[in-house]
Amino acid sequence: MAQWKSICSVDEIPVLGARRVTRANGPEVAVFRNAEDKVFALLDRCPHKGGPLSQGIVFGESVACPLHNWTIGLADGCAKAPDEGCTPRFSVKVENGQVSLDLDELNSIALEPAQSAA
């Protein structure tokens, strides 16, 4: 059974925008809200050149990367044709207006390698 980490309320995510979640050992996660108040979470890196998806424009259930305008699906993290590639997605739970992310996923998906002591 998943353990959930409360992130924020739905109202704290801008409509057609994103909020970033910082992780200790990995790149940030972008939590998006569309016009229908659906909430999605993706790694905050475009699969193309690593652009910050949280700074992109949300439309429908997609976000346009601010660097090269690639369209990334919010539900699956995958680029729309003719572009190719995917960014990791994270499970989201919205309950009583509160947004939570799966703690196991936050602690395991797309982490940076540990720095070795010199």
Side-chain angles (χ1 to χ4, degrees):
M1 177 182 259
Q3 290 185 342
W4 297 95
K5 179 178 180 179
S6 180
I7 301 300
C8 62
S9 71
V10 172
D11 292 339
E12 292 177 286
I13 306 168
V15 176
L16 302 181
R19 178 184 179 110
R20 294 180 354 193
V21 176
T22 302
R23 300 187 299 161
N25 297 320
E28 293 180 327
V29 173
V31 181
F32 299 91
R33 177 180 174 195
N34 72 5
E36 291 80 37
D37 285 335
K38 290 184 181 176
V39 179
F40 306 87
L42 300 174
L43 190 70
D44 195 20
R45 287 187 181 168
C46 179
H48 177 225
K49 297 280 186 180
L53 294 175
S54 61
Q55 295 177 25
I57 297 171
V58 174
F59 59 99
E61 292 192 9
S62 299
V63 62
C65 177
L67 294 185
H68 300 102
N69 208 32
W70 276 35
T71 298
I72 308 299
L74 293 172
D76 62 7
C78 292
K80 303 299 179 189
D83 300 321
E84 296 179 352
C86 294
T87 195
R89 62 170 292 282
F90 294 80
S91 299
V92 177
K93 178 173 80 169
V94 179
E95 199 168 69
N96 299 321
Q98 197 64 25
V99 177
S100 299
L101 299 180
D102 184 308
L103 188 58
D104 289 337
E105 291 179 0
L106 286 173
N107 291 327
S108 64
I109 295 176
L111 296 179
E112 301 290 340
Q115 298 291 329
S116 60

